[in-house]
Amino acid sequence: MRTDTELHGNIKHQGLPLAPLLAFAMTGFIAILTETLPAGLLPQIGEGLGVSQVMAGQMVSIYALGSLLAAIPLTVLTSGWRRKKVLLLAVGTFIVFNTITTVSSSYWLTLIARFMSGVAAGLAWGILAGYARRLVPAELQGRALAVAMVGIPIALSMGTPAGAWLGSMMGWRVAFGLMAALAVILFIWTLIAVPDLPGQQNARRLPVWKVFLMPGVRPVLAVIFLWMTAHNILYTFIGPFLELSGLTAQVGLILLIFGFAALAGIWITGTLVDRHLRILILLSLTALAVVSLMLAVGMREQEVVFLAVIIWGWSFGGASTQMQTAAADAAGNNVDVVQAMVTTAWNLAIACGGVAGGLLLNNAGAVSFPWALMALMVVAFGIAYFGKKHAFKPGARKHVMNQ
């Protein structure tokens, strides 16, 4: 069995280990797409299970709940297990419960399956970042994480619309069956291509609360929560917001543009994250603040909306890599626990963004969205800017990590 040191020695000569990193990216792709797929298929799912669209929409909520509740406890429970075993467990759970979702005719059984799929996602998110970082030396960790996280923007921007189209053409069960089939392929890929690594020794583990209290961890989690809450207010209710500019019929095109811009963002982040992490984070936060200002003054102008979506997509594309890298740097050897916290904060932000967006839409209308985004981003930028001592350090990461 190869050790971490041996792996690093090989990688220095061979570059990034793309086969395992792309397996991690596919894991993220399946996790995100499994979560968001029902959103584009609510009428068909409701009809197929004999429930309303509102009830069908709970398939998304229950998945997020499973991920939220499972991320930290399962990550702690499995922290001493070999990493490949944990990853295979997560992927295998996707296979089982996406298959049950595909064939189930019971609404309540489907909800249970969705909850368990969310549990698998929580376990996967708790391990992926640390696993990717351990496969490479310190100076390549940001780039490795960028590759490992590329499945997220692909799933959000292109996977979800494609899944919705497939479901509308061939039935929603086919779309979930495809998710199960992809998970089978991933399971085999992981067995063959992903090197195994040991878990964390008991002596090196810190309790969850001590990791939470480490200098730098809470500022990173706070920025994640504020940033993703702002993002999800607009992303969740993009349809009602686009009514203001007469672009409702162009939602698919808008999301596609967002997705391509996000891919550009993750590429730029992957190139620069190991040398300029702090600058990237501050630029990304500033970019979303600029987007909020553009939309506040030009929300009824189609050209302004299209330009804002491009900037928004770019700023979001690198968010996962940037914030997971910052969190891991702040937590040191406790990377898996802190990544579970990142997952928890991220899912809380998704839920809060949906709730806040709904309240704003009902009480003040979609015109209020940009102002809410701006307020959240000002606070997030302030935390990131003034948190450079522990959380968002300047300079190249390999120097930061050795301090």
Side-chain angles (χ1 to χ4, degrees):
M1 188 68 63
R2 291 181 294 178
T3 65
D4 289 16
T5 303
E6 290 170 336
L7 282 169
H8 293 173
N10 291 334
I11 291 163
K12 287 180 180 178
H13 298 289
Q14 299 175 4
L16 290 176
L18 288 180
L21 292 178
L22 290 175
F24 300 159
M26 188 173 178
T27 304
F29 176 85
I30 290 174
I32 292 293
L33 191 51
T34 298
E35 179 174 17
T36 60
L37 193 58
L41 299 169
L42 294 184
Q44 299 95 315
I45 293 173
E47 182 179 352
L49 295 177
V51 297
S52 67
Q53 290 192 45
V54 173
M55 294 289 283
Q58 301 313 304
M59 290 176 63
V60 178
S61 301
I62 198 71
Y63 183 103
L65 180 64
S67 182
L68 181 69
L69 294 177
I72 293 176
L74 281 187
T75 298
V76 173
L77 177 65
T78 61
S79 60
W81 299 10
R82 300 199 67 84
R83 302 292 83 189
K84 191 168 183 176
K85 176 181 178 180
V86 178
L87 183 57
L88 288 172
L89 176 61
V91 176
T93 304
F94 277 125
I95 294 172
V96 171
F97 290 102
N98 273 336
T99 300
I100 292 175
T101 302
T102 302
V103 301
S104 171
S105 59
S106 165
Y107 173 71
W108 296 107
L109 177 60
T110 301
L111 283 187
I112 292 172
R114 291 288 298 170
F115 179 85
M116 292 304 299
S117 293
V119 168
L123 180 58
W125 293 129
I127 186 178
L128 286 180
Y131 209 157
R133 287 164 59 93
R134 288 177 63 188
L135 291 180
V136 297
E139 63 270 18
L140 293 178
Q141 287 177 344
R143 291 176 59 192
L145 193 55
V147 175
M149 295 297 113
V150 75
I152 296 174
I154 293 176
L156 286 172
S157 56
M158 285 166 270
T160 300
W165 175 81
L166 177 66
S168 64
M169 295 293 292
M170 304 182 66
W172 67 272
R173 296 183 187 278
V174 173
F176 280 99
L178 180 60
M179 286 296 95
L182 287 176
V184 171
I185 295 172
L186 175 59
F187 191 92
I188 297 171
W189 184 355
T190 301
L191 276 174
I192 296 172
V194 176
D196 195 9
L197 292 175
Q200 192 175 30
Q201 297 175 0
N202 288 329
R204 299 182 66 188
R205 298 180 211 164
L206 287 179
V208 172
W209 66 272
K210 284 191 175 181
V211 176
F212 181 74
L213 293 176
M214 291 179 70
V217 169
R218 283 166 294 167
V220 172
L221 294 177
V223 171
I224 290 171
F225 178 77
L226 293 166
W227 188 354
M228 290 306 114
T229 298
H231 165 79
N232 280 285
I233 287 173
L234 186 58
Y235 192 84
T236 303
F237 296 97
I238 187 66
F241 184 79
L242 291 178
E243 290 178 4
L244 300 172
S245 56
L247 289 171
T248 305
Q250 303 297 323
V251 172
L253 176 61
I254 292 289
L255 292 178
L256 189 62
I257 292 172
F258 175 90
F260 279 116
L263 290 177
I266 201 169
W267 179 80
I268 293 170
T269 292
T271 302
L272 301 176
V273 67
D274 288 310
R275 290 169 291 160
H276 305 292
L277 174 61
R278 175 177 173 80
I279 293 174
L280 281 172
I281 291 173
L282 293 178
L283 280 177
S284 298
L285 296 173
T286 301
L288 188 51
V290 170
V291 166
S292 66
L293 181 60
M294 291 173 64
L295 293 178
V297 300
M299 64 182 70
R300 302 184 190 278
E301 303 296 328
Q302 295 187 357
E303 294 82 2
V304 173
V305 172
F306 274 107
L307 179 59
V309 166
I310 293 172
I311 300 173
W312 176 27
W314 168 82
S315 69
F316 176 78
S320 178
T321 298
Q322 293 167 23
M323 298 312 297
Q324 291 197 65
T325 300
D329 286 351
N333 291 327
N334 303 283
V335 58
D336 288 343
V337 172
V338 84
Q339 294 305 330
M341 292 179 181
V342 168
T343 300
T344 301
W346 207 287
N347 279 281
L348 277 175
I350 292 174
C352 289
V355 172
L359 291 173
L360 288 170
L361 185 62
N362 288 333
N363 293 286
V367 294
S368 63
F369 290 174
W371 302 107
L373 265 64
M374 190 179 302
L376 290 167
M377 297 318 297
V378 167
V379 178
F381 182 90
I383 294 173
Y385 184 82
F386 292 106
K388 64 181 179 181
K389 182 176 181 180
H390 298 293
F392 305 98
K393 297 181 181 180
R397 288 190 55 260
K398 62 182 178 180
H399 298 147
V400 169
M401 292 180 66
N402 291 330
Q403 288 178 352

